[in-house]
Amino acid sequence: MRRCGLALALLSLSGVFLTAHSLAVMSVDLGSEWMKIAVVSPGMPMEICLNRDSQRKTPVVIAFRDGERQYGDMALNTQTKFPDKAFANFLYLLGKPLDHPIVQEFQKKFPYYKLSSDENSGGVKFTHPEGMEFSVEELVGMILKNAQAAAQATAGQRIKDAVITVPAFFNQAERRALARAASIAGINLLQLMNDNTAVALNYGAFRRKEFNATATNILFYDMGTGSTTATVISYQTAKTRDRGFVETAPVLSVKGVGYDRDLGGLEFKHRLGEHLAKKFDELKKASKKVHQNNRALFKLYKEAERVKKILSANTEINAQVENVMEDIDLKVTVTRQEFEDMCADLFARVTQPIEDALASSEIGLDQINQVIVVGGNTRIPKIQQILQEYLKGKGLSKSINADEAAAMGAAYQAAYLSKGFKVLPFVAKDANLYPIQVEFSRDGIKNIQRVIFNRNNEFPKHKTILATRMEKDFTVYVNYGDLSFLSKKEQSLMGKSSNISSILVKGVAESLKKYPTEEAEVRGVRIHMAMDASGIFHIDQVETLFEKEQVEEAEASTLDKIKAQFGKMFGGGEGEAELPVGDKKEPEQGDKPSEGTGSETQSETVKNETAGEAEPDAPGTEEKPKEEKSKDDKPKEEKPKEAAAEAREKKNVTKKVELKQKLDKEVNVLDMPDVDQELIEASAKKLQDLDDKDSAQLALDKARNALESFLHETKDKLSTEEYQNASTEKERTKIVEALNKEQEWLEYESDAADTETLKGKLASIAVITKDVIDRVNEHRDRPQALDSLNNLLKISKEYLTNLESVPEDESVFTKVELQTLGTLITDTETWVVEQTAIQMKTPLNEAPKLTMKMIFEKIQGLDRETKYLMNKARYAQPKKKVKKEKEPEKSGDDETIKVNEEAIIEEEKPLEETQPTPAQEDTASAVPPDPKTEVPVVEPQDPKQEEVHSEL
Ligand SMILES: *[C@@H]1O[C@H](CO)[C@@H](O)[C@H](O)[C@H]1NC(C)=O
Ligand SMILES: *[C@@H]1O[C@H](CO)[C@@H](O)[C@H](O)[C@H]1NC(C)=O
Ligand SMILES: *[C@@H]1O[C@H](CO)[C@@H](O)[C@H](O)[C@H]1NC(C)=O
Ligand SMILES: *[C@@H]1O[C@H](CO)[C@@H](O)[C@H](O)[C@H]1NC(C)=O
Ligand SMILES: *[C@@H]1O[C@H](CO)[C@@H](O)[C@H](O)[C@H]1NC(C)=O
C-alpha cells in the first residue's frame, strides 16, 4: 500500500497519469556495462525494476557455462573464473564490421574473446569456448529479453512495448542494428531514445513548473563506462494550440551535442589494469606473462576497478590480488598521482565534448544556467577539478538521481507513446547529429547533391525532395554529409565510406507516359524521406508528380484563393508541403527554385519551395512548437479556421491538382548489409530456443525442489502431534517407508530424471499420504468453517426477524417465502448440532464424518435463500438511489494517447496534434491529482453484491 502511494506521488510529480485498462510499458537504459529497466504499469507506475538478484541495475553480461545460460550475478561470477565464457561490453560493437577500429580495440582489450565476421549482418559474432556462436545483435537481444522478463515480473503482466535508450552518437548502421536486436527479442520498439535526451526529459518532467518563456539552458555532462557525452539542452515553455485553445507546454530542445566515443570508465580501468599487469610481470616470478592467462588478467582488471573507485576518495591504495597465477600474489601501492599520470592523455580529453556541444549549439558558456553531471566516472576527483576549472565556478550539480535518470526519462516517453496513459505534454525535440544528404545524377552527367537532414536539425521529421526532368531510372545515394566538425578520430569511427544506402528508382519513363502533356504537366520525381523518432533515416514513397489545372466554379474562401494563387507551393489533395533541401545555416549553393519542368536553362533539379527549414520558434510565440516556421518570404501553408470562414464568394477558381504515379524502388543498404527478415526470425527462434531450454531447466529444478521439499516436510509433519492424532501407527510406518525410498532415489538415482518423472514421483507419493493430510486439513479447517456457518445463521436470523416485523400489507414477501427461510434456518441449526456431535465421537484418525464439503453446501444453501430475498427486496422498491460504486473515470479521448506513426514523421502534422493533453489546463502537476478521478484502481465490484451489504 505504501509502495503504491509513493509510486503515485512520483507519478503525478512527473506528470504521468494512469487511465483505465492501461497496458504496462517498459524502458531499458542500455549501457555498455549496466542497464536499468523501468516500467509504467497500472499497479506500479514509473518504477525502476529490480532484477532477479533484487538489484536496481543489471550487469550487461551473459555467460554460458556447461551449456547453462546465466545472467546477472551468476554471469559475473562465471566471468571472474572464465572471462572467455562471459560476454560483456559488447553494446558498442553493434553495427560494425570486424575490421572497424572500435572492434579491433575491443579485441585488444579483451583478448580472450573469439570474434569473427558474421556474414549475415556484416557485423561481429562471438564464438563461445563451448562452441555456440552469437552475433552481437543476438547477445543484445538476449539482454533485452532479460530486461523484459524483469519488467514483466515487476508489472505482473506481459509487456511488449519499450523505449530503449541509445548513445546519442550512434549512427545509422548502429541504430538499425540495435532496432534489429529489439526485433530479435520480440520487443515492440516504440522508440530508440538518445540517452542524453532521456536524461533531460526526466530532469524536465519533474520540474515542469520551473520553466517559463525564457529559455533555461542546461549542460548535461555524462561520463559513462564506454563514452562521454555533453549536451546543451534548452528548456522553455511555448504555447500550443493543438486542442483548439492556447495552452502552454514545456519544451526541451537539444541544442548541441559533443561526445567522445571511448572516453569513459572502461578506459580508466584499463590503464590501471595494464599498470597492475606491468607490476606483476616485473615481479618476474611467474613462468609466463600475465597477458597469457585470461583469468589472471581478469583478476587484475577487477582489482583495477576497485583501485579506481578507492582513489576517488583516497590519495593512495594498496592493490592486492591473491594468487594472480601460479600462486603468486600481487601487492602494490598505487597513488592517485600515479593514476593521474597514467591517464593524463585521457584527462586532457575531458572538456572537449563540452566545447563541441557549446560550439554546435551556438550557446556560450555564459548563457548556461546550470551544469549537471551524470555517470559514475564523474566522481573521479581529477575530472571534477578539470570540469570545475573549465566551467569557471559554475557549480556542478547532481540534483537528479543520475544513475536512473535515463531509464526514467525513457519510461516517461514510453508512457507518452503508448496507449492508456495520460501524460502531461513535455515536448522533447531531439537534434540530428550527422548530416545526411542525397546525391544523384541526371543523364549520368549532372551530379546533384542536397543535404536533407543537417546537423542539429530537429527530428522526427518527414521531408521530400523533388527531382525535376528525370526521364529514366536513376539511383539516389544517401550519404553522410560533411563530417568535418568531428575530430579525425571520430570521423574514422563513422565507418569506411560515407554511403548509407542507394535507392534505384524504377519505371520513371513509363510513368511519364501516364498523362499526356496537354492533360497534365510533369513536375518531377518526388522522394519522400523521414528521420523517425529513433533517429533512423528512411526513404519512403517515390512517385512521379504531375500537376493539372482545373477550373471550378466554387465557393472560394480566401484560403482557397491563396492556394490557387500559390498553387505550386502547396501539396495537392493531402495538404502536404514540400520541404526545402538544405539548411538554414549552410544554404546549398545554387539552390534556386526552378519553376516549370523541362526548362532547359535550369541547372537545378531540386526545388526548395515553400516553407523554410526548421527553425525553432521564438519562445512564447503563438506557434506550435513543432511547427515549421517559414524562413523565406513565400507564404507558408496555414490552416487557420478563422481565415477559411471569412470572405466567401462564388467564383471560378483555377486549382492546381496534383497527380501522383507511384514508382518502384530498390533499396540497397551500403553501410552495413541489411539483414533479411528470415534471418531475423532465425535469430529470434534461436533466442526462443534458449529461453525454452532455460524454462525447461527451471521446470526441472522446480520439480526436483518440489519433490525434495515434499519428502522433507512430510517427514517432519508426521512427527507432530497434529499428524499423529490424525493417523494410525500403521499408516505412518507405511508413509515413512515410502518417503525414505523416494529420498534415496532422489539422492542416488535421479540425476538423469526428467521433469515428468520427478512430477510423477511427487504425484505417487502424494497418493500415499493423501488420506492423512486430508484428515489433518479437515480437522484444522473445520472450526473456522463452522464459525462461518454459525455467523451466517445469525445474520440470516436477524434479517428474517426484521422482515417479519414489517406489517404484512407493506411487505414485498409472501408468507411462504418467509417460512421457507425460517425452516431452512432451523434445519441448519439442528444439522450443525447433530453433525458436530457425531464428529466428536469419531476418532481423529478415522475419516471425518462432518466434512468441509458438507459445511460448504449448507453455507451455500443458506446464502442462496437469503440473497434471493434481499434481491427481491431491492427490485421491488427501486426507491432511494443506492449509491453506485464509483466507476473508473473514463475521460473519453483523453484516455488513450497514441501517436500514430505518420504523425511522427510528417512535418505537416506537428506532434502537438497528437500530443497527450494535460489532465487539466496547465495542471499543477506537482500536486498529486485526485486519485479517484485520475487513477482508477480496482475493478468495479459486482454492484448487486455491494448493495446487498448496504441494505443489511
Ligand atoms: C522565468 O524564470 C526565471 C527563473 O526561474 C526568472 O528569473 C524569470 O524572471 C522568469 N521569466 C518570466 C518571463 O517569467
Ligand atoms: C557512394 O555514393 C557515391 C555518390 O554519392 C557513389 O558515386 C558511389 O558509387 C557510392 N558508393 C557505393 C559503394 O555505392
Ligand atoms: C532555395 O535556396 C536558395 C539558396 O539557399 C535560397 O536563396 C532560396 O531562397 C531558396 N528558395 C526557397 C524557395 O526556399
Ligand atoms: C465559370 O466557368 C464556366 C465554364 O467552365 C462558365 O460557364 C462560367 O460562366 C464561369 N463563371 C464565372 C463566374 O466566371
Ligand atoms: C491430539 O489429540 C489429543 C487427544 O485427543 C488432544 O488433546 C490434542 O490437543 C491433539 N493435538 C493436536 C495438535 O490436535
Side-chain angles (χ1 to χ4, degrees), residues 450 569 579-583 586-595 606-613 631-634:
R450 292 295 178 272
M569 279 153 228
L579 291 171
V581 180
D583 184 80
E586 303 150 59
E588 288 301 308
Q589 282 193 346
D591 213 357
K592 288 177 247 146
S594 91
E595 300 292 333
V606 181
K607 292 195 209 172
N608 53 347
E609 312 172 318
T610 64
E613 183 46 40
K631 189 162 187 278
D632 52 31
D633 49 2
K634 296 191 180 180

Side-chain angles (χ1 to χ4, degrees), residues 385-396:
Q385 182 202 333
I386 293 169
L387 289 176
Q388 248 139 19
E389 275 164 24
Y390 181 82
L391 298 167
K392 300 189 194 76
K394 278 188 199 299
L396 302 184

Side-chain angles (χ1 to χ4, degrees), residues 172 436 452-453 459-464 527-533 535-541 901-902 904-907:
Q172 293 296 310
I436 289 180
I452 305 296
F453 285 95
F459 71 87
K461 190 158 285 185
H462 176 104
K463 294 195 179 187
T464 59
I527 305 163
H528 293 260
M529 291 161 287
M531 186 164 290
D532 66 18
I536 297 175
F537 180 86
H538 301 275
I539 296 266
D540 302 326
Q541 174 136 320
E901 270 160 22
E902 279 172 310
I904 294 179
I905 52 169
E906 288 237 90
E907 184 143 36

Side-chain angles (χ1 to χ4, degrees), residues 381-425:
K382 183 75 180 170
I383 291 180
Q384 299 221 334
Q385 182 202 333
I386 293 169
L387 289 176
Q388 248 139 19
E389 275 164 24
Y390 181 82
L391 298 167
K392 300 189 194 76
K394 278 188 199 299
L396 302 184
S397 164
K398 283 187 189 164
S399 53
I400 42 179
N401 185 352
D403 232 23
E404 293 169 357
M408 294 297 263
Y412 187 94
Q413 183 76 352
Y416 158 45
L417 293 174
S418 92
K419 289 178 181 160
F421 294 96
K422 227 191 267 184
V423 183
L424 286 182

